[in-house]
Amino acid sequence: MNTDKALKMLRALPRVALGNIRDNPNSKKNNKRGRGQHGGNKHGAGNKGSGQRQNYMRLGYETGNQPFYTRFTYEPYYKGHHLRRQYPPISLLQLQKLIDTNRIDVSQPIDLASFCTTGLFDIRPSSRHFGVQLTDEGADIFQAKVNIEVQHASELVIATIEKNGGTITTAYYDPFSLVALVNPKKWFEKGVPIPERAIPPQDAAEYYLEAKNRGYIADPEQISQERLALAQKYGYELPKIEEDPDAEMLLTRKDPRQVFYGLHPGWVISLKDRAIIKQKASN
């Protein structure tokens, strides 16, 4: 019955042709520009006075009113904020991914140069970056045994590294040394000597002198005691690094004045000649 009604309606409807079909909504756009407002009475000069002479008001001027920056008192919270040291974060999860994808070699000590040579991190000394901080995201899945040097690390991060049989050191780099460390190839191509790392300022030395922070200028005996105390606090058995097959790599440390592993300050690295130019020994 419904089929007969449909056929009857089709016989009554006109045949589809170009004259009785409609375009889709918004399928046609008018490209012509309208007349707009004030057509021609300003001649492109805008409003009166400074508006037609391009004499723009200075930044912060509020046409005679008291400006915003003098209407409110100074907030001391932001004092010196542009001078604070910045430490971009790198998580344990990211570190594990870099190790699993062979972007970082765990058979060698890991430092800031290892992160920057992956091409995934942008450390800018000109933007007050003083290195990286290792965060505890992914601490429950981190399984690598590494010898790593960072600039800041929390207690949980230190416990996670040492639980897996690794070692961690927090070290300070001055901005001049960081320029060489974040891009070693560019520094070596200059043909200038490797810089000597400066000692940390007073407000940063307190952090790196603490054995609980694994500071690079802390007392080694105190660090051994803190390693044992941290293992007891988190309830894991502290691996003996001296009996580990990779003990030599795990115990490798930089000199407090050294920037690169195996390279001393004052040496010149020639990539073109593939040679190391060393200083003459003083008499």
Side-chain angles (χ1 to χ4, degrees):
M1 190 70 180
N2 294 333
T3 305
D4 296 338
K5 286 185 178 181
L7 292 174
K8 184 177 180 181
M9 183 176 65
L10 285 175
R11 295 189 189 98
L13 290 174
R15 190 180 295 272
V16 177
L18 292 176
N20 58 7
I21 60 176
R22 182 182 298 176
D23 294 328
N24 293 328
N26 300 324
S27 62
K28 287 188 176 182
K29 294 183 180 179
N30 186 12
N31 295 326
K32 292 183 180 181
R33 185 170 63 88
R35 292 186 63 227
Q37 296 179 353
H38 315 295
N41 63 348
K42 299 286 187 178
H43 304 288
N47 294 320
K48 298 177 181 179
S50 61
Q52 66 186 6
R53 294 180 180 85
Q54 297 184 353
N55 183 22
Y56 300 113
M57 293 178 288
R58 60 176 174 80
L59 187 64
Y61 182 65
E62 298 185 13
T63 63
N65 300 326
Q66 186 180 11
F68 176 84
Y69 56 86
T70 60
R71 214 179 309 155
F72 298 95
T73 57
Y74 177 73
E75 177 56 64
Y77 172 80
Y78 297 103
K79 182 179 180 179
H81 72 281
H82 60 291
L83 300 176
R84 296 175 184 171
R85 301 182 188 93
Q86 305 295 326
Y87 299 96
I90 296 178
S91 65
L92 289 172
L93 178 62
Q94 290 176 297
L95 179 58
Q96 185 67 56
K97 288 181 179 179
L98 292 173
I99 295 171
D100 294 341
T101 55
N102 295 325
R103 290 181 178 269
I104 286 183
D105 185 10
V106 294
S107 64
Q108 300 295 330
I110 301 170
D111 61 352
L112 188 59
S114 305
F115 290 113
C116 294
T117 51
T118 61
L120 300 177
F121 304 97
D122 187 17
I123 306 300
R124 299 182 181 181
S126 60
S127 299
R128 303 293 297 173
H129 291 179
F130 278 76
V132 296
Q133 59 173 325
L134 198 59
T135 62
D136 55 8
E137 182 185 2
D140 54 338
I141 63 173
F142 187 78
Q143 299 177 351
K145 180 176 64 176
V146 296
N147 176 9
I148 188 169
E149 179 192 77
V150 293
Q151 283 60 61
H152 195 278
S154 63
E155 184 180 73
L156 180 57
V157 170
I158 296 173
T160 304
I161 296 291
E162 295 178 350
K163 179 182 178 181
N164 295 333
T167 56
I168 182 171
T169 307
T170 57
Y172 171 83
Y173 288 91
D174 60 284
F176 189 66
S177 300
L178 278 174
V179 173
L181 192 61
V182 299
N183 196 340
K185 181 181 178 182
K186 184 178 180 180
W187 183 269
F188 295 154
E189 288 175 347
K190 293 180 181 179
V192 295
I194 297 174
E196 186 179 46
R197 191 182 353 170
I199 60 175
Q202 185 176 2
D203 57 343
E206 298 176 359
Y207 179 84
Y208 297 109
L209 281 169
E210 289 287 344
K212 63 180 181 180
N213 300 326
R214 306 301 186 265
Y216 73 116
I217 51 179
D219 186 3
E221 295 184 0
Q222 293 183 5
I223 291 179
S224 299
Q225 297 174 2
E226 290 291 339
R227 281 171 54 87
L228 182 60
L230 192 63
Q232 294 174 350
K233 179 179 180 179
Y234 283 86
Y236 61 87
E237 184 179 356
L238 186 65
K240 295 182 179 180
I241 301 178
E242 294 77 7
E243 300 177 1
D244 195 284
D246 301 324
E248 183 179 357
M249 183 274 295
L250 294 173
L251 295 175
T252 302
R253 295 290 183 274
K254 292 181 183 178
D255 185 81
R257 294 287 192 172
Q258 194 175 359
V259 177
F260 299 102
Y261 282 109
L263 301 175
H264 295 282
W267 290 5
V268 178
I269 311 300
S270 176
L271 297 181
K272 183 178 180 180
D273 301 331
R274 296 187 178 182
I276 300 177
I277 305 173
K278 302 180 181 180
Q279 291 177 326
K280 291 185 178 179
S282 60
N283 296 330

